[in-house]
Amino acid sequence: MNIAFCTRSDFLSVRGGDTIQLLQTRELLQNSYGANVDVVADPEKLNAADYDLCHIFNIQKIEDTKAYLTKCRTAGVKVALSPVLWDFSAVVSYTFMVKRLSACQLSERRIDLASRLLKLLAGVVGMPTIYTHNHREYLRQTLSAADLLLPNSVEEADVLARLSGLDPDELLAKTRPVVNAVTVAEPKPATDADFGVMNHLPSGYILQVGRIEPGKNQYSTVKALMDDGHLPILFVGNQRVNPAYFRVVEELGRRRGNVYFIDEVPHEHLPLFYRNAALHVLPSLGETTGLVSLEALGYGCRSVVADGRYCPFETYFAGFATPVDPLNYGSIRKGIFAELATERDMSAISRRIRQDFSWDKAAQQTHEAYIRLLVG
């Protein structure tokens, strides 16, 4: 079986969840199932006729996706899509609030007002594209053109139907969900440098791992615990994605006190931070999965996540973590304290995460979907 994995040109320099999904799936398809998988990061370099199937990852790169689809259709080659898509309207609206209006205070009313304003602007200038008719039509055409849809969850499939306006049953007929996965490795022994970092941190902190940016909503984590200064908060993540937002979060943390920031660290060092945390919190405004929360659970760290409007909660976190409304500071605070008080067998949860959300399982589901499409 010859397969082309078609992706964005910067998939290696700007590594996201789609990068990890592509590389891990490719390795296992080749090693465990004998498939030949080439990665194509430029539509101009795709010779679709050389392959039995073209698998496009992350349809948020609109022009690339259109070009890949055109080449596949011209060659008469079957197309699979891993959309990696959610309703990111809250992320777009809040980022607009922060960057253009210097407004970091979050509420449902504020997000609604920002969304309304952006829809008006999009109707005039065509930006942001997520609010335009053209974007909806793009989704309709792209999803209709695919022979196979491989979303990360049933919830993502529902979001795709809603955003595109397509018949959910039509999409469901060619949908085969493939779980997103995490690698939970055996923790490496802590080095002297690691102990040096940990010695400066109090134990039992509230941890949030991820880029410091509006969509990840670190401001709300601090705001929710503003009056609970006895609880340490630790942010581990890239501070240069949105420097202005980082400065606001940093200043709020300084006013609260007992808030710590560590810049992005190598992935293999993260288990050290999970092991020493009271819990991990991610009140994100949009996640196709929420891999860092899944990873935290895999290492036995309690987790608080955004509710099902903002991530596929039922597929990945039901029974494992506490959901919160990321637009409500009171909900985030209540969820943190509720999770801290909940009796959980974290060793059993860690085993379930490793079993249910492994790359072996993701590759198996992908391969079975390919066979079903090609063989019938």
Side-chain angles (χ1 to χ4, degrees):
M1 185 186 299
N2 291 319
I3 306 163
F5 274 9
C6 305
T7 189
R8 53 191 171 87
S9 59
D10 59 354
F11 83 107
L12 288 177
S13 59
V14 182
R15 297 173 74 93
D18 58 330
T19 305
I20 299 169
Q21 183 179 7
L22 181 151
L23 294 175
Q24 292 281 359
T25 304
R26 177 179 187 250
E27 179 180 352
L28 284 166
L29 285 177
Q30 294 194 138
N31 294 341
S32 300
Y33 296 96
N36 175 64
V37 184
D38 294 330
V39 178
V40 182
D42 180 353
E44 291 296 321
K45 296 180 180 179
L46 174 64
N47 188 357
D50 290 343
Y51 301 98
D52 302 306
L53 175 72
C54 290
H55 185 162
I56 302 173
F57 287 78
N58 195 342
I59 65 173
Q60 295 177 61
K61 291 287 188 177
I62 295 175
E63 295 308 317
D64 282 356
T65 302
K66 286 181 177 179
Y68 285 131
L69 279 171
T70 298
K71 284 205 164 188
C72 292
R73 283 298 169 229
T74 301
V77 175
K78 299 284 189 181
V79 176
L81 291 182
S82 287
V84 194
L85 192 70
W86 196 259
D87 183 351
F88 293 120
S89 57
V91 175
V92 173
S93 297
Y94 186 43
T95 302
F96 170 75
M97 285 170 53
V98 172
K99 294 182 78 170
R100 301 301 181 187
L101 307 178
S102 299
C104 290
Q105 290 272 38
L106 254 183
S107 70
E108 193 165 339
R109 178 176 174 274
R110 284 185 165 217
I111 284 289
D112 182 62
L113 289 172
S115 296
R116 290 171 183 267
L117 177 57
L118 284 175
K119 286 177 184 177
L120 290 173
L121 292 173
V124 176
V125 301
M127 291 289 289
T129 56
I130 193 173
Y131 286 114
T132 64
H133 171 75
N134 287 343
H135 188 265
R136 185 180 181 88
E137 187 59 29
Y138 160 71
L139 289 180
R140 290 177 65 89
Q141 293 176 2
T142 300
L143 298 174
S144 296
D147 300 290
L148 175 66
L149 297 178
L150 302 173
N152 293 331
S153 63
V154 174
E155 294 99 312
E156 184 182 343
D158 291 339
V159 169
L160 293 171
R162 176 164 54 82
L163 293 180
S164 66
L166 290 171
D167 182 347
D169 291 334
E170 177 188 334
L171 290 185
L172 188 61
K174 58 181 179 181
T175 293
R176 301 289 179 270
V178 172
V179 295
N180 217 328
V182 290
T183 301
V184 182
E186 289 301 317
K188 292 184 177 180
T191 65
D192 291 341
D194 292 330
F195 283 122
V197 170
M198 300 311 296
N199 284 339
H200 290 88
L201 297 173
S203 60
Y205 45 76
I206 305 301
L207 174 65
Q208 186 167 346
V209 174
R211 301 180 300 272
I212 311 295
E213 61 184 6
K216 302 299 182 185
N217 205 15
Q218 287 90 353
Y219 183 91
S220 291
T221 299
V222 180
K223 196 72 175 176
L225 297 174
M226 203 69 184
D227 297 328
D228 302 288
H230 65 287
L231 280 178
I233 302 173
L234 172 62
F235 295 109
V236 178
N238 190 323
Q239 302 167 3
R240 297 168 298 284
V241 176
N242 191 320
Y245 181 71
F246 170 67
R247 287 193 295 271
V248 171
V249 176
E250 187 180 38
E251 175 56 31
L252 185 66
R254 188 178 297 114
R255 281 166 41 203
R256 177 197 185 264
N258 210 13
V259 178
Y260 305 85
F261 295 88
I262 294 178
D263 206 348
E264 187 175 19
V265 301
H267 187 263
E268 61 268 22
H269 292 181
L270 289 177
L272 180 69
F273 295 100
Y274 293 134
R275 289 202 307 268
N276 288 282
L279 63 75
H280 182 271
V281 57
L282 183 63
S284 174
L285 300 182
E287 298 286 338
T288 54
T289 300
L291 284 176
V292 70
S293 299
L294 203 61
E295 185 175 76
L297 289 168
Y299 282 106
C301 179
R302 293 172 172 272
S303 289
V304 171
V305 301
D307 63 37
R309 293 170 295 173
Y310 303 94
C311 76
F313 179 82
E314 289 300 320
T315 293
Y316 291 95
F317 302 111
F320 299 151
T322 296
V324 298
D325 179 356
L327 304 184
N328 186 303
Y329 303 139
S331 175
I332 296 171
R333 181 183 186 275
K334 182 179 178 181
I336 288 172
F337 280 96
E339 179 59 35
L340 289 172
T342 298
E343 289 190 14
R344 295 195 193 274
D345 185 340
M346 294 309 300
S347 294
I349 289 175
S350 175
R351 288 194 296 272
R352 281 287 305 278
I353 297 297
R354 298 177 195 212
Q355 172 186 311
D356 294 349
F357 304 108
S358 69
W359 288 113
D360 284 334
K361 186 166 186 176
Q364 178 188 353
Q365 291 174 333
T366 302
H367 185 258
E368 288 175 354
Y370 288 169
I371 295 298
R372 187 165 181 172
L373 174 64
L374 295 174
V375 178

